[in-house]
Amino acid sequence: MGDRKSRVNVDSILTAVSSKPCGSDKFYGLTQLDHAMGRHTVHVIFYFEKTPFGSFDMDPIRVSLSEVLSLYPAATGRLVRGEAGNWEVKCNDAGVRVLRATVGVTLDEWLRSADGNEERDLTAWEDMPEFPNTWSPFRVQINDFQGGGVAIGLSCCHMNADPTCLTLLFKAWTDTHRRLPIAYPPSFQPLKPRGQVSNNNTKSTSYLANKLHKQTLSVKIATATFKFSDSIIKSCLSEIHDKYTDATPFDLLVALFWIRLTHLRGPKPSVHKHSLSICVDIRRRLQEPLPYGHFGNALHFSLLSLNVEEMDCSGLGRVTELVHRHVSGLKEEEFWTTLRWLETQKEEGGKYAQAFTMYGPELTCVNMEHMVVEDQSMMYAASFDKATPVHVSCQIRNVEGEGLILVMPSAEGGYARTVTVTLPEEEIAKLCEDQAILQLEPKMLLCGRQ
């Protein structure tokens, strides 16, 4: 944050506990994938034009939050070391931290003038201490803007949960507040490899093995958000579909930003290929799908590489098709081999290896298309008292290397998408002025522009 004065002031901090205690004799073990994600944190912010509660009184909010937390003992517990020194959650009903804050501007002004770094103030975070027995790994921050707007930020250690978990926790909270059945209740069965894997040495395991040992330099980063309309994305896809069929909004936008960033960075004599790390959620990609409410991490990272000549000579349509082939061609065996590989990295005695940078060092993109269920985005289906979010922001922190691109559903629905890009600071400035992107008429938010 440097020397800037924050426009967000935290007024109170309290703890919300479950309305129905689960007891203190249950433990929820974290998987090998959970441990691997331990360097990162997840922050999802839901913006509402007016207070979604019908009242500024905290009591109704706390009541419904306490009720829904009864279903999430892994969120209200505390991290402890279990057998072999691995992390697990002691489900002791210690609760989650709830912060109430005020913002010194209106919501509209905030979305126009704040940047990604200032947006972090909406989800105040404390890094995990060495002994986290009293530290809350989940936090909720309710931010009141001038004029009635509200932003509700949920945060957690990525070791505990992924962005889908936080989104569905928030959706379950809004369902409980409105006395509706919870659409996707949490499931706490640990993610384990299924069946026999014929080959433990795959492209994905080789990629993770290389990632484990890569070092990156720390650079000052910045974030910008681009909102693309349904009509623009449909128009672009219709042009591509004449030659390349079945491409999705994700494929198109990833190809667009990958090409533009490659162009902006210019040629590097020592670089013979351009690589892109692609993160997908696997809940619905399995032959026997996981419950949508699976709690924990259900992510898979893979690498797509194109040689410099292929990238330079390929147009948007061709790169879109290559991204699509890669994502659609991911096999279940790849998912399970990565889990088995992470298991083999245990130290003597059974302790999982140290977490490493999963979002980096290559340019990494995150596919959130799975959040659209039956043409409805779970991110924008969350409603307390008839008010639905006008914008949802997601941040992954401690990103290193070339940067991060998140492609998410947008409030407009349909093919509209929100793209949040985190890059070295000087590259964000160039990207925000790139004509190939601007000709698609994105609405730009949270990039520090008045």
Side-chain angles (χ1 to χ4, degrees):
M1 289 189 292
D3 296 328
R4 71 171 172 82
K5 188 179 187 322
S6 177
R7 292 183 288 181
V8 181
N9 296 301
V10 174
D11 301 318
S12 63
I13 302 176
L14 52 84
T15 300
V17 298
S18 306
S19 60
K20 297 178 182 178
C22 72
S24 58
D25 59 344
K26 296 180 180 179
F27 290 83
Y28 173 69
L30 300 185
T31 68
Q32 64 271 59
L33 178 58
D34 296 332
H35 279 78
M37 305 302 296
R39 282 193 183 180
H40 304 288
T41 57
V42 185
H43 309 260
V44 184
I45 303 170
F46 299 83
Y47 289 91
F48 296 84
E49 282 186 329
K50 57 183 180 180
T51 177
F53 313 116
S55 162
F56 284 99
D57 187 1
M58 276 289 288
D59 287 343
I61 309 168
R62 290 178 62 186
V63 168
S64 57
L65 179 58
S66 292
E67 289 178 7
V68 79
L69 288 178
S70 298
L71 303 176
Y72 287 85
T76 59
R78 295 294 182 262
L79 287 165
V80 296
R81 292 285 190 182
E83 285 189 29
N86 292 320
W87 290 112
E88 58 187 23
V89 178
K90 183 179 182 180
C91 301
N92 57 2
D93 299 306
V96 302
R97 296 285 186 266
V98 179
L99 295 80
R100 195 70 186 260
T102 53
V103 188
V105 295
T106 66
L107 174 59
D108 286 343
E109 184 178 349
W110 175 269
L111 293 176
R112 287 197 310 270
S113 63
D115 59 22
N117 288 325
E118 189 175 19
E119 191 185 33
R120 294 183 174 210
D121 294 344
L122 300 181
T123 57
W125 183 254
E126 295 177 1
D127 291 334
M128 184 172 72
E130 183 179 358
F131 301 104
N133 56 310
T134 61
W135 177 80
S136 175
F138 286 80
R139 290 165 186 265
V140 178
Q141 183 167 321
I142 302 170
N143 306 275
D144 296 312
F145 291 90
Q146 291 182 359
V150 173
I152 303 176
L154 279 72
S155 307
C156 72
C157 179
H158 212 322
M159 186 165 59
N160 292 74
D162 60 19
T164 299
C165 296
L166 278 189
T167 300
L168 294 183
L169 170 57
F170 186 73
K171 177 70 167 62
W173 179 15
T174 66
D175 289 341
T176 300
H177 191 84
R178 298 167 62 199
R179 302 303 173 193
L180 296 176
I182 293 175
Y184 301 102
S187 171
F188 296 99
Q189 290 297 319
L191 181 63
K192 295 181 178 179
R194 299 172 183 170
Q196 297 295 316
V197 176
S198 59
N199 180 16
N200 285 318
N201 186 19
T202 65
K203 289 182 179 179
S204 295
T205 57
S206 297
Y207 169 50
L208 289 182
N210 289 331
K211 180 194 288 284
L212 181 64
H213 302 291
K214 282 189 176 180
Q215 300 293 321
T216 57
L217 296 175
S218 178
V219 297
K220 190 173 182 180
I221 62 171
T223 299
T225 297
F226 303 78
K227 302 192 82 165
F228 295 90
S229 70
D230 173 70
S231 60
I232 284 290
I233 299 299
K234 280 182 177 176
S235 176
C236 292
L237 286 175
S238 67
E239 295 177 16
I240 290 173
H241 284 166
D242 289 342
K243 190 174 182 181
Y244 306 105
T245 60
D246 300 326
T248 68
F250 171 81
D251 305 326
L252 170 71
L253 290 166
V254 165
L256 172 65
F257 280 86
W258 191 16
I259 291 172
R260 298 318 301 161
L261 282 169
T262 300
H263 174 76
L264 291 174
R265 288 168 174 168
K268 297 180 180 179
S270 60
V271 175
H272 305 291
K273 63 182 179 180
H274 298 293
S275 296
L276 181 73
S277 175
I278 298 178
C279 172
V280 300
D281 187 279
I282 69 171
R283 286 170 173 81
R284 296 319 219 188
R285 289 175 169 265
L286 308 177
Q287 187 173 357
E288 297 178 19
L290 292 171
Y292 199 54
H294 170 81
F295 197 85
N297 285 282
L299 302 174
H300 178 75
F301 292 81
S302 60
L303 192 69
L304 171 62
S305 295
L306 301 180
N307 62 50
V308 171
E309 293 77 13
E310 187 175 16
M311 176 68 90
D312 290 343
C313 298
S314 297
L316 177 60
R318 173 60 177 164
V319 178
T320 298
E321 175 66 10
L322 292 172
V323 172
H324 176 74
R325 285 185 188 178
H326 178 87
V327 174
S328 60
L330 292 172
K331 304 300 183 185
E332 183 168 338
E333 183 179 29
E334 289 274 332
F335 306 152
W336 300 137
T337 56
T338 57
L339 296 185
R340 292 182 188 277
W341 180 85
L342 288 169
E343 190 76 20
T344 66
Q345 302 307 299
K346 282 183 175 179
E347 301 172 1
E348 186 175 350
K351 185 177 180 180
Y352 288 121
Q354 289 287 328
F356 54 100
T357 302
M358 297 297 283
Y359 297 93
E362 297 84 7
L363 179 66
T364 304
C365 59
V366 180
N367 186 343
M368 299 293 286
E369 296 285 299
H370 67 284
M371 297 307 301
V372 180
V373 180
E374 297 179 352
D375 296 325
Q376 184 181 43
S377 167
M378 292 298 99
M379 289 182 160
Y380 292 92
S383 171
F384 282 96
D385 294 322
K386 298 182 180 179
T388 56
V390 294
H391 176 63
V392 178
S393 178
C394 180
Q395 288 192 3
I396 307 294
R397 296 188 190 166
N398 299 326
V399 172
E400 295 181 2
E402 295 185 12
L404 179 67
I405 302 171
L406 291 102
V407 182
M408 302 180 291
S410 195
E412 182 185 346
Y415 281 10
R417 292 294 182 270
T418 297
V419 181
T420 300
V421 186
T422 301
L423 298 169
E425 199 169 55
E426 67 279 4
E427 293 183 358
I428 279 288
K430 294 178 181 178
L431 195 69
C432 290
E433 297 176 353
D434 184 80
Q435 292 305 307
I437 292 175
L438 294 181
Q439 71 179 5
L440 301 185
E441 302 176 358
K443 182 178 180 181
M444 297 172 64
L445 305 175
L446 297 164
C447 56
R449 293 187 170 194
Q450 291 287 352

